[in-house]
Amino acid sequence: MKRLLMLGSVLALTACAMPDVSRYAQDEPKLDVTQYFQGKTEAWGMFQKRSGEVVKRFHIKMEGHNQDDKFILKEHFFYTDGTSQERVWTFTRQTDGSLHGRADDVVGVAIGKGAGNAFRMRYTLKLPVGDSVYNVKFDDWLFRVDEKTVVNRASVTKFGFEVGQVTVFFRRDQ
């Protein structure tokens, strides 16, 4: 029982240690993800185990557009192992300015909030690994570096423990 309480305390303290996105409110250049991802964007990234070992690299071709009161973002992943994947996000802006997103491989709703040059989105993803599918939590942080570049760093957790990180570099030519 003591170990369980200690583990719960450690997890609670770790969750509290994450900065709030509002901390970046004054940072430039401003990032509005629905504007930045409007049209075509390319990205390159990798997934690393918590040990730091790179286990998957990928290239993404993306296209975003407004449709009625929603923002649609299509992502086409091309992995270096020859496999590919598609994800289509549908985002709806909420009255508080946050974005709620849905996709076929997302459990429930992704919730994102931006401030300044930063955007944070948290969600649960159905992650296929071999013949199994695992529900893992993503804590995505996007930062706008300049007019053309956004960097994304995501922590991936299962049962509250980090299993890996995703790093992605987005680039717009327009």
Side-chain angles (χ1 to χ4, degrees), residues 99-165:
L99 287 176
H100 285 189
R102 294 187 181 275
D104 286 344
D105 57 351
V106 171
V107 178
V109 178
I111 298 175
K113 186 169 183 170
N117 74 332
F119 182 79
R120 182 183 191 188
M121 186 166 70
R122 291 183 273 187
Y123 55 96
T124 300
L125 184 74
K126 299 174 196 170
L127 182 66
V129 178
D131 293 335
S132 300
V133 175
Y134 299 96
N135 287 350
V136 295
K137 294 187 182 294
F138 271 71
D139 188 358
D140 271 318
W141 283 87
L142 287 83
F143 293 92
R144 190 163 193 175
V145 177
D146 57 35
E147 293 306 310
K148 295 181 178 184
T149 312
V150 167
V151 175
N152 174 214
R153 179 81 167 153
S155 174
V156 183
T157 59
K158 177 84 174 146
F159 301 124
F161 296 98
E162 185 173 72
V163 295
Q165 307 91 31

Side-chain angles (χ1 to χ4, degrees), residues 31-153:
L31 174 60
D32 178 332
V33 293
T34 61
Q35 287 179 351
Y36 178 83
F37 290 107
Q38 189 76 240
K40 294 183 179 182
T41 307
E42 284 195 76
W44 300 264
M46 62 184 174
F47 175 80
Q48 294 172 269
K49 291 181 184 179
R50 67 180 169 181
S51 67
E53 176 188 354
V54 175
V55 293
K56 203 147 199 164
R57 292 179 294 128
F58 51 87
H59 175 221
I60 314 169
K61 291 187 178 186
M62 307 166 70
E63 189 164 348
H65 67 277
N66 292 311
Q67 183 177 313
D68 301 322
D69 63 340
K70 303 195 180 321
F71 181 71
I72 310 300
L73 183 62
K74 295 179 181 179
E75 299 176 315
H76 299 274
F77 292 80
F78 303 94
Y79 297 98
T80 55
D81 65 4
T83 61
S84 63
Q85 177 185 13
E86 181 176 295
R87 178 175 300 118
V88 178
W89 286 98
T90 301
F91 291 100
T92 306
R93 188 157 313 269
Q94 305 300 299
T95 55
D96 67 357
S98 66
L99 287 176
H100 285 189
R102 294 187 181 275
D104 286 344
D105 57 351
V106 171
V107 178
V109 178
I111 298 175
K113 186 169 183 170
N117 74 332
F119 182 79
R120 182 183 191 188
M121 186 166 70
R122 291 183 273 187
Y123 55 96
T124 300
L125 184 74
K126 299 174 196 170
L127 182 66
V129 178
D131 293 335
S132 300
V133 175
Y134 299 96
N135 287 350
V136 295
K137 294 187 182 294
F138 271 71
D139 188 358
D140 271 318
W141 283 87
L142 287 83
F143 293 92
R144 190 163 193 175
V145 177
D146 57 35
E147 293 306 310
K148 295 181 178 184
T149 312
V150 167
V151 175
N152 174 214
R153 179 81 167 153

Side-chain angles (χ1 to χ4, degrees), residues 15-25 113-115 118 120 122 141:
C16 295
M18 296 297 282
D20 186 88
V21 73
S22 63
R23 181 258 175 259
Y24 302 100
K113 186 169 183 170
R120 182 183 191 188
R122 291 183 273 187
W141 283 87

